[in-house]
Coordinates of all heavy atoms in Angstrom, one line a residue:
I1411 N -3.9 1.4 7.1 CA -3.8 0.8 5.8 C -5.2 0.3 5.5 O -5.8 -0.5 6.2 CB -2.7 -0.3 5.7 CG1 -1.3 0.3 6.1 CG2 -2.7 -1.0 4.4 CD1 -0.4 -0.9 6.3
K1412 N -5.7 0.6 4.3 CA -7.0 0.1 3.8 C -6.8 -0.5 2.5 O -5.9 -0.2 1.7 CB -8.0 1.2 3.8 CG -8.4 1.7 5.2 CD -9.5 2.8 5.1 CE -10.0 3.3 6.4 NZ -11.1 4.2 6.4
Q1413 N -7.7 -1.3 2.1 CA -7.7 -1.9 0.7 C -8.9 -1.4 -0.1 O -10.0 -1.6 0.3 CB -7.7 -3.5 0.8 CG -7.6 -4.2 -0.6 CD -7.5 -5.7 -0.5 OE1 -7.9 -6.2 0.5 NE2 -6.8 -6.3 -1.5
L1414 N -8.5 -0.8 -1.1 CA -9.6 -0.1 -2.0 C -10.0 -1.0 -3.2 O -9.3 -2.0 -3.4 CB -9.0 1.2 -2.5 CG -8.4 2.2 -1.6 CD1 -8.0 3.5 -2.2 CD2 -9.4 2.6 -0.5
F1415 N -11.0 -0.6 -3.8 CA -11.4 -1.4 -5.0 C -10.3 -1.3 -6.1 O -9.7 -0.2 -6.3 CB -12.7 -0.7 -5.6 CG -13.1 -1.2 -6.9 CD1 -13.7 -2.4 -7.1 CD2 -12.7 -0.5 -8.1 CE1 -14.0 -2.9 -8.3 CE2 -13.1 -1.0 -9.3 CZ -13.7 -2.3 -9.5
S1416 N -10.1 -2.4 -6.8 CA -9.1 -2.4 -7.9 C -9.4 -3.6 -8.7 O -10.2 -4.6 -8.3 CB -7.7 -2.4 -7.5 OG -7.4 -3.6 -6.6
K1417 N -8.8 -3.7 -9.9 CA -8.9 -4.9 -10.7 C -7.6 -5.4 -11.2 O -6.7 -4.7 -11.5 CB -9.8 -4.5 -12.0 CG -11.3 -4.4 -11.8 CD -11.9 -5.8 -11.8 CE -13.4 -5.7 -11.7 NZ -14.1 -7.0 -11.8
L1418 N -7.5 -6.8 -11.2 CA -6.2 -7.5 -11.8 C -6.5 -7.6 -13.3 O -7.5 -7.5 -13.9 CB -6.2 -8.8 -11.1 CG -6.1 -9.0 -9.7 CD1 -6.1 -10.5 -9.3 CD2 -4.8 -8.3 -9.1
P1419 N -5.3 -7.7 -14.0 CA -5.4 -8.1 -15.4 C -6.1 -9.4 -15.5 O -6.0 -10.3 -14.6 CB -3.9 -8.2 -15.9 CG -3.1 -7.5 -14.7 CD -4.0 -7.7 -13.5
K1420 N -6.7 -9.7 -16.7 CA -7.5 -11.0 -16.8 C -6.7 -12.2 -16.6 O -7.2 -13.2 -16.2 CB -8.1 -10.9 -18.3 CG -9.3 -10.0 -18.5 CD -10.0 -10.3 -19.7 CE -11.3 -9.4 -19.8 NZ -10.9 -7.9 -20.0
H1421 N -5.4 -12.2 -17.0 CA -4.5 -13.4 -16.9 C -4.0 -13.6 -15.5 O -3.4 -14.7 -15.3 CB -3.5 -13.5 -18.0 CG -2.5 -12.4 -17.8 ND1 -2.7 -11.1 -18.1 CD2 -1.1 -12.5 -17.5 CE1 -1.6 -10.4 -17.9 NE2 -0.6 -11.2 -17.5
W1422 N -4.1 -12.7 -14.7 CA -3.6 -12.8 -13.2 C -4.7 -13.6 -12.4 O -5.9 -13.1 -12.4 CB -3.2 -11.6 -12.6 CG -2.1 -11.0 -13.0 CD1 -1.4 -11.1 -14.2 CD2 -1.4 -9.9 -12.4 NE1 -0.2 -10.4 -14.3 CE2 -0.2 -9.6 -13.1 CE3 -1.5 -9.3 -11.1 CZ2 0.7 -8.6 -12.8 CZ3 -0.5 -8.3 -10.8 CH2 0.5 -8.0 -11.6
K1423 N -4.5 -14.7 -11.9 CA -5.4 -15.4 -11.1 C -5.6 -15.0 -9.7 O -6.7 -14.9 -9.2 CB -5.1 -17.0 -11.1 CG -5.0 -17.6 -12.5 CD -4.6 -19.1 -12.4 CE -4.4 -19.6 -13.8 NZ -3.9 -21.0 -13.8
K1424 N -4.4 -14.6 -9.1 CA -4.5 -14.2 -7.7 C -3.3 -13.3 -7.4 O -2.1 -13.7 -7.8 CB -4.5 -15.4 -6.9 CG -4.6 -15.3 -5.3 CD -4.7 -16.6 -4.6 CE -4.8 -16.4 -3.1 NZ -4.8 -17.7 -2.4
L1425 N -3.4 -12.4 -6.6 CA -2.3 -11.5 -6.1 C -2.3 -11.5 -4.6 O -3.4 -11.3 -3.9 CB -2.5 -10.1 -6.6 CG -1.5 -9.1 -6.1 CD1 0.0 -9.4 -6.4 CD2 -1.8 -7.7 -6.6
T1426 N -1.2 -11.9 -3.9 CA -1.1 -12.0 -2.5 C 0.1 -11.1 -2.1 O 1.2 -11.3 -2.5 CB -0.9 -13.4 -2.0 OG1 -1.9 -14.2 -2.5 CG2 -0.8 -13.5 -0.5
I1427 N -0.2 -10.2 -1.0 CA 0.8 -9.4 -0.5 C 0.9 -9.8 1.0 O -0.1 -9.7 1.7 CB 0.5 -7.9 -0.6 CG1 0.0 -7.6 -2.0 CG2 1.7 -7.0 -0.1 CD1 0.9 -6.9 -2.9
T1428 N 2.1 -10.2 1.5 CA 2.2 -10.7 2.8 C 3.1 -9.7 3.6 O 3.9 -8.9 3.0 CB 2.9 -12.0 2.9 OG1 4.2 -12.0 2.2 CG2 2.0 -13.1 2.1
G1429 N 3.0 -9.8 4.9 CA 3.9 -9.0 5.8 C 3.6 -7.5 5.8 O 4.5 -6.7 5.9
V1430 N 2.3 -7.1 5.5 CA 2.1 -5.7 5.4 C 1.8 -5.0 6.8 O 1.0 -5.6 7.6 CB 0.8 -5.5 4.6 CG1 0.4 -4.0 4.4 CG2 1.1 -6.0 3.1
G1431 N 2.5 -3.9 7.0 CA 2.3 -3.1 8.3 C 2.9 -3.8 9.5 O 3.4 -4.9 9.4
P1432 N 2.8 -3.1 10.6 CA 3.4 -3.6 11.8 C 2.7 -5.0 12.2 O 3.5 -5.8 12.9 CB 3.0 -2.6 12.8 CG 2.9 -1.3 12.1 CD 2.2 -1.8 10.8
D1433 N 1.5 -5.3 11.8 CA 0.8 -6.6 12.2 C 1.2 -7.7 11.3 O 0.7 -8.7 11.4 CB -0.5 -6.3 12.4 CG -1.0 -5.4 13.5 OD1 -0.2 -5.3 14.5 OD2 -2.0 -4.7 13.4
R1434 N 2.0 -7.4 10.2 CA 2.3 -8.3 9.2 C 1.2 -9.0 8.6 O 1.0 -10.3 8.4 CB 3.3 -9.5 9.9 CG 4.6 -9.0 10.3 CD 5.5 -8.6 9.0 NE 6.8 -8.3 9.4 CZ 7.7 -7.8 8.6 NH1 7.4 -7.8 7.2 NH2 9.0 -7.6 8.9
K1435 N 0.1 -8.2 8.1 CA -1.1 -8.7 7.6 C -0.9 -9.3 6.2 O 0.1 -8.8 5.5 CB -2.1 -7.7 7.6 CG -2.7 -7.3 9.0 CD -3.9 -6.3 9.0 CE -4.4 -6.0 10.3 NZ -5.5 -5.0 10.3
T1436 N -1.8 -10.1 5.8 CA -1.8 -10.5 4.3 C -3.0 -10.0 3.6 O -4.1 -10.0 4.2 CB -1.8 -12.1 4.3 OG1 -0.6 -12.6 4.8 CG2 -2.0 -12.6 2.9
Y1437 N -2.9 -9.5 2.4 CA -3.9 -9.0 1.6 C -4.0 -9.8 0.3 O -2.9 -10.1 -0.3 CB -3.7 -7.5 1.3 CG -3.9 -6.6 2.5 CD1 -2.9 -6.3 3.4 CD2 -5.2 -6.0 2.8 CE1 -3.0 -5.5 4.5 CE2 -5.3 -5.2 3.9 CZ -4.3 -4.9 4.7 OH -4.4 -4.1 5.8
V1438 N -5.2 -10.0 -0.2 CA -5.4 -10.9 -1.3 C -6.3 -10.1 -2.4 O -7.3 -9.5 -1.9 CB -5.9 -12.3 -1.0 CG1 -6.2 -13.0 -2.2 CG2 -4.9 -13.0 -0.1
R1439 N -6.0 -10.2 -3.6 CA -7.0 -9.8 -4.7 C -7.1 -10.9 -5.6 O -6.1 -11.5 -6.2 CB -6.4 -8.6 -5.4 CG -7.3 -8.1 -6.4 CD -8.6 -7.4 -5.9 NE -8.2 -6.0 -5.4 CZ -9.0 -5.4 -4.4 NH1 -10.1 -5.9 -3.9 NH2 -8.7 -4.2 -4.0
M1440 N -8.3 -11.4 -5.8 CA -8.6 -12.5 -6.6 C -9.2 -12.1 -8.0 O -9.9 -11.0 -8.1 CB -9.6 -13.5 -6.0 CG -9.2 -14.1 -4.6 SD -7.9 -15.4 -4.8 CE -8.9 -16.7 -5.7
Q1441 N -9.0 -12.9 -9.0 CA -9.6 -12.6 -10.3 C -11.1 -13.0 -10.2 O -11.5 -14.1 -9.7 CB -8.9 -13.5 -11.4 CG -9.5 -13.2 -12.8 CD -9.2 -11.7 -13.2 OE1 -10.2 -10.9 -13.0 NE2 -8.1 -11.4 -13.7

């Protein structure tokens, strides 16, 4: 699993995905 470039909508401050993959990693995308 890799995290690629992307953009949030302007009114989203932060997006957090938890429990990803067998290692239960957390991925974050900030505005």
Side-chain angles (χ1 to χ4, degrees):
I1411 301 165
K1412 292 185 178 180
Q1413 188 173 23
L1414 308 178
F1415 170 81
S1416 63
K1417 281 282 189 177
L1418 298 179
K1420 285 189 177 70
H1421 65 291
W1422 286 20
K1423 299 176 182 177
K1424 184 180 179 181
L1425 172 62
T1426 305
I1427 316 255
T1428 63
V1430 177
D1433 297 330
R1434 295 289 188 182
K1435 291 184 178 180
T1436 296
Y1437 290 86
V1438 176
R1439 180 73 75 201
M1440 300 287 293
Q1441 184 60 264

